[in-house]
C-alpha cells in the first residue's frame, strides 16, 4: 500500500467489514463494500479528467453519500478536498473556489442555481452535477458508468494536504486552513479514545459535513471504527427524534440550539431515546436548562473546545464531569496539549487568564498561500495561537474567559465581526460600526450592529440588511441595529466591544 492517508480507509474497510452498513441516507443503505466500490469509480472519473496529486476538488452539497465518496476518492489520488459551506453568498463561494484553485466543482443540482454565480465568479469550467445530469452536462452517476474503474493507490503521506476548510475571515476574507491526512487521522483517533467510539455505534449526522466538527469529530471516527452514519440533509427536530428511535441511534453531535429544539419539540416526551449513549456538543456552553432536560432522560453531554485549525478538537469534558466542572470545556484530547501564555508569550500560573495555545498532530499545516498569517499563528516553538483567552484550573481543566478575536458563535456558525463591519461601512450615512454578539435563547448569540451615523441621516435595520443580502451568508447579517451618539474607544482608537456587550447584551 502506497497511500498512508485517509484515501486508504475505504478499501481497508471493504476488506475488514464489507457487509456492515456504512451509511443510511433516507431509505437507502450502503455497505462498506458498496461505498468503497463507488469511491474507486469516482476516483477513476476524477483521474480521467486529469486530476491528481495536489489538485483541489470542490464539493457543494448537503449531507449525502456523495459528499464522503468524493472526499475519499480525492484522497485516493492525493488530491485535496474542498467542502463549500452551502450557506455562503455567491461572492463568498467565488472566493473559496478561486482561492483554493479548485480544478473541478461537484455540485448538488438542488443547489446549482444558488451556487452558479459563485462558480461563474471563480471561472470554474469543469462542473459536475451529482446524479444523472443530462446529455449536455452528464452527472456523476452517468460518468461513473463509463469510468474505467479500479482502485487507485497513489503515494500519499500523513503530511500531505487532505482538505482545505475555510474559516470565517477576521479581515474580510475567509482563510483556507490546510488540514493534512495526519491531522484528520489524529483528530479521529482523539475522538475514538475520548468519546469511546465503537464499531457498533450508529451516528445521526444532523450537522452539515462541510463543518469541520461534523466531519472530523463525527463522520471520520465512526468510519474509521466501521460504525454506521445516518445522514440528514437538514435539521428538523421532530424528524431527528424519529430517526433516533427508528435506527436506534447511539451517537449525536450538535450545538446547544439543536439540542434545545429537540427538547422543546412536542414529540420529545414520547420518543424512545434509550439507545442514545453519546451526546457531544460544541459551539458554546450547554445551558443548564438543556442539561436538566437531557439528564432527566438519563443522558449527559460531552462538551468541548476547538477550531478549524485544530481539525477541530482541542479539549473535551467527559459527561461525568459536566456538573462538577460546569462552565469548563474540559481537558486536552488524548494526543493534544493546551497551555496558557501571557502577552509576552510566557507561561502563566494555573487560574491566570491568558491566550490559549494548542499543540498536537491534529493542529493544521497552515493557511493556504498566506505565509505571513501562518507564521503569526504559531509561536517560536510551534504551538498554535488560538486568539482566545482562557485559564486552566488547578486540575488542568480549561475555561474560556473571552474571545480575543471577538468571534460570535450563532447556532454553531462562526461569525467574525470585521467581515460584517467592512461591508456595513459602505452603507450610506454610516460613520462608525461595531458588530457584537448578543445573547439569544435560541441561537446562543446573534449579531447586532452598533452604529454612528452622519448628522441628519437615518440608517435602519432594513437598510443594513438590504445592503448585506447576497453579499454574505444570512446568519452573519445583524438581527438588530442600534444607533448611538458615539462608539466607546480606547486611547488608540479601537472600539471597546466588551463595553458594548455589557451595555446591550445584558
Amino acid at each position: 500500500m502506497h497511500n498512508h492517508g485517509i484515501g486508504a480507509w475505504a478499501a481497508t474497510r471493504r476488506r475488514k467489514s464489507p457487509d456492515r452498513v456504512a451509511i443510511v441516507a433516507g431509505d437507502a443503505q450502503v455497505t462498506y463494500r458498496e461505498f468503497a466500490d463507488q469511491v474507486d469509480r469516482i476516483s477513476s472519473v476524477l483521474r480521467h479528467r486529469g486530476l491528481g496529486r495536489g489538485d483541489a476538488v470542490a464539493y457543494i452539497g448537503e449531507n449525502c453519500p456523495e459528499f464522503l465518496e468524493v472526499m475519499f476518492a480525492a484522497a485516493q489520488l492525493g488530491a485535496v478536498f474542498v467542502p463549500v459551506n452551502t450557506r455562503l453568498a455567491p461572492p463568498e463561494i467565488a472566493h473559496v473556489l478561486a482561492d483554493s484553485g479548485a480544478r473541478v466543482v461537484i455540485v448538488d443540482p438542488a443547489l446549482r442555481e444558488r451556487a452558479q454565480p459563485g462558480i461563474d465568479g471563480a471561472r470554474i469550467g469543469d462542473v459536475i452535477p451529482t446524479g444523472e445530469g443530462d446529455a449536455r452536462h452528464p452527472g456523476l452517476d452517468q460518468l461513473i458508468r463509463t469510468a474505467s474503474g479500479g482502485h487507485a493507490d497513489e503515494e500519499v503521506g500523513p503530511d500531505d494536504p487532505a482538505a482545505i476548510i475555510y474559516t470565517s475571515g477576521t479581515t474580510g476574507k475567509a482563510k483556507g486552513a490546510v488540514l493534512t491526512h495526519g491531522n484528520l487521522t489524529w483528530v479521529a483517533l482523539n475522538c475514538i479514545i475520548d468519546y469511546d467510539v465503537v464499531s457498533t455505534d450508529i451516528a445521526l449526522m444532523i450537522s452539515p459535513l462541510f463543518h469541520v466538527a461534523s466531519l472530523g469529530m463525527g463522520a471520520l471516527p465512526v468510519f474509521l471504527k466501521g460504525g454506521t452514519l445516518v445522514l440528514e440533509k437538514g435539521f428538523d427536530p421532530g424528524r431527528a427524534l424519529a430517526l433516533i428511535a427508528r435506527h436506534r441511534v447511539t451517537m449525536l453531535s450538535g450545538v446547544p440550539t439543536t439540542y434545545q429544539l429537540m427538547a422543546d419539540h412536542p414529540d420529545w416526551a414520547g420518543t424512545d431515546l434509550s439507545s442514545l449513549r453519546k451526546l457531544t456538543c460544541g459551539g458554546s456552553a450547554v445551558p443548564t436548562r438543556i442539561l436538566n432536560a437531557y439528564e432527566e432522560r438519563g443522558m449527559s453531554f460531552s462538551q468541548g473546545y476547538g477550531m478549524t485549525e485544530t481539525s477541530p478538537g482541542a479539549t473535551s469534558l467527559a459527561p461525568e464531569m459536566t456538573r462538577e466542572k460546569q462552565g469548563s470545556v474540559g481537558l486536552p484530547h488524548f494526543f493534544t496539549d493546551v497551555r496558557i501564555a501571557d502577552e509576552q508569550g510566557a507561561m502563566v500560573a494555573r487560574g491566570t487568564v491568558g491566550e490559549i495555545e494548542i499543540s498536537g498532530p491534529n493542529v493544521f499545516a497552515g493557511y493556504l498561500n498566506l505565509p505571513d498569517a501562518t507564521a503569526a499563528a504559531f509561536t517560536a516553538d510551534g504551538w498554535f495561537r488560538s486568539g482566545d483567552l482562557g485559564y486552566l484550573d488547578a486540575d488542568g481543566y480549561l475555561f474560556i474567559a473571552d474571545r480575543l478575536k471577538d468571534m460570535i458563535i450563532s447556532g454553531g456558525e462562526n461569525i467574525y465581526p470585521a467581515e460584517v463591519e467592512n461591508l456595513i461601512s459602505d452603507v450610506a450615512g454610516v460613520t462608525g460600526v461595531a458588530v457584537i454578539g448578543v445573547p439569544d435563547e435560541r441561537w446562543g448569540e446573534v449579531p447586532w450592529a452598533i452604529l454612528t451615523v452622519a448628522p441628519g441621516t437615518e440608517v435602519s435595520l432594513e437598510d443594513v440588511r438590504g445592503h448585506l443580502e447576497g453579499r454574505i451568508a444570512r446568519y452573519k447579517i445583524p438581527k438588530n441595529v442600534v444607533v448611538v451618539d458615539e462608539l466607546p474607544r480606547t486611547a488608540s482608537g479601537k472600539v471597546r466591544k466588551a463595553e458594548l456587550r455589557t451595555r446591550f447584551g445584558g
Side-chain angles (χ1 to χ4, degrees):
M1 182 186 295
H2 297 93
N3 194 316
H4 298 289
I6 67 170
W9 290 12
T12 303
R13 269 282 144 233
R14 175 171 53 196
R15 183 170 70 245
K16 295 180 72 68
S17 55
D19 299 320
R20 193 178 295 161
V21 175
I23 293 173
V24 175
D27 295 327
Q29 293 189 348
V30 181
T31 67
Y32 276 100
R33 177 189 287 112
E34 292 167 335
F35 181 86
D37 290 348
Q38 191 77 334
V39 169
D40 286 347
R41 287 188 284 265
I42 294 174
S43 72
S44 179
V45 169
L46 297 176
R47 187 172 58 242
H48 180 73
R49 298 173 99 83
L51 279 93
R53 185 180 181 84
D55 291 327
V57 178
Y59 186 91
I60 305 174
E62 307 293 354
N63 292 0
C64 63
E66 289 88 347
F67 184 106
L68 295 168
E69 289 163 356
V70 171
M71 180 187 72
F72 283 114
Q76 273 192 15
L77 301 174
V80 184
F81 185 61
V82 184
V84 181
N85 186 329
T86 61
R87 300 177 67 183
L88 296 181
E92 296 170 310
I93 292 175
H95 168 69
V96 168
L97 297 179
D99 187 70
S100 67
R103 288 272 308 278
V104 61
V105 176
I106 299 173
V107 59
D108 184 334
L111 298 171
R112 181 70 180 264
E113 183 177 350
R114 199 166 87 204
Q116 193 62 50
I119 293 171
D120 292 341
R123 299 181 180 179
I124 307 294
D126 197 356
V127 181
I128 304 173
T130 57
E132 281 296 321
D134 53 38
R136 186 178 175 187
H137 299 103
L140 193 58
D141 290 351
Q142 192 178 152
L143 293 170
I144 283 170
R145 288 197 293 273
T146 59
S148 57
H151 175 67
D153 184 22
E154 301 294 333
E155 290 276 359
V156 177
D159 294 333
D160 288 327
I164 303 171
I165 311 290
Y166 277 79
T167 67
S168 297
T170 57
T171 57
K173 290 288 187 181
K175 299 192 293 290
V178 179
L179 304 184
T180 66
H181 289 265
N183 292 155
L184 295 179
T185 300
W186 285 105
V187 77
L189 289 172
N190 270 340
C191 292
I192 287 170
I193 293 169
D194 288 337
Y195 300 140
D196 196 22
V197 179
V198 295
S199 61
T200 54
D201 272 323
I202 300 170
L204 175 58
M205 307 303 296
I206 55 175
S207 299
L209 287 169
F210 55 70
H211 280 318
V212 69
S214 185
L215 181 63
M217 303 183 72
L220 291 182
V222 172
F223 193 96
L224 186 57
K225 284 295 293 185
T228 299
L229 299 169
V230 180
L231 302 183
E232 272 287 276
K233 286 194 172 183
F235 171 67
D236 175 85
R239 179 168 169 78
L241 291 169
L243 288 171
I244 291 169
R246 175 184 173 187
H247 296 293
R248 303 299 294 163
V249 168
T250 64
M251 288 181 61
L252 187 65
S253 299
V255 295
T257 301
T258 56
Y259 286 113
Q260 177 185 321
L261 290 173
M262 289 170 60
D264 289 342
H265 194 274
D267 294 341
W268 168 256
T271 300
D272 181 2
L273 303 177
S274 59
S275 61
L276 272 178
R277 294 184 294 108
K278 305 179 184 83
L279 302 178
T280 59
C281 187
S284 57
V286 180
T288 300
R289 79 179 191 90
I290 299 179
L291 287 177
N292 293 340
Y294 282 80
E295 287 178 355
E296 287 170 2
R297 300 291 302 272
M299 295 172 283
S300 296
F301 289 92
S302 293
Q303 301 178 64
Y305 164 77
M307 57 202 62
T308 302
E309 292 88 344
T310 55
S311 305
T315 70
S316 64
L317 180 67
E320 62 269 22
M321 301 301 290
T322 296
R323 290 295 185 175
E324 183 177 341
K325 295 291 185 179
Q326 189 165 357
S328 170
V329 291
L331 297 169
H333 277 297
F334 195 88
F335 294 108
T336 305
D337 203 3
V338 169
R339 69 186 188 187
I340 308 296
D342 64 18
E343 293 181 359
Q344 287 72 45
M347 299 305 101
V348 301
R350 294 286 175 94
T352 302
V353 173
E355 183 174 8
I356 301 165
E357 297 180 350
I358 304 160
S359 177
N362 56 305
V363 175
F364 79 141
Y367 297 111
L368 183 68
N369 299 325
L370 295 171
D372 291 345
T374 298
F378 289 91
T379 64
D381 58 347
W383 287 62
F384 173 66
R385 301 181 60 191
S386 72
D388 291 335
L389 297 173
Y391 65 92
L392 299 173
D393 73 3
D395 300 315
Y397 283 78
L398 178 64
F399 288 76
I400 307 300
D402 201 355
R403 300 188 188 107
L404 191 59
K405 299 175 183 175
D406 293 314
M407 185 176 72
I408 300 165
I409 303 178
S410 183
E413 297 280 6
N414 294 347
I415 303 170
Y416 281 95
E419 177 186 17
V420 186
E421 290 163 355
N422 288 343
L423 292 172
I424 295 177
S425 295
D426 293 331
V427 174
V430 171
T431 58
V433 55
V435 173
I436 60 170
V438 172
D440 180 85
E441 185 173 336
R442 179 171 184 179
W443 301 113
E445 57 182 345
V446 294
W448 280 27
I450 315 302
L451 310 179
T452 57
V453 300
T457 303
E458 292 185 3
V459 177
S460 66
L461 175 62
E462 289 70 27
D463 294 331
V464 171
R465 294 180 66 87
H467 180 75
L468 297 180
E469 184 69 37
R471 289 183 167 89
I472 55 175
R474 287 185 174 176
Y475 65 84
K476 301 177 185 178
I477 297 177
K479 301 297 185 290
N480 193 22
V481 164
V482 178
V483 177
V484 296
D485 293 333
E486 186 178 11
L487 291 171
R489 297 181 183 274
T490 65
S492 62
K494 293 182 180 179
V495 176
R496 298 181 187 270
K497 289 193 174 179
E499 186 173 323
L500 290 175
R501 286 192 290 266
T502 300
R503 178 178 172 186
F504 297 104

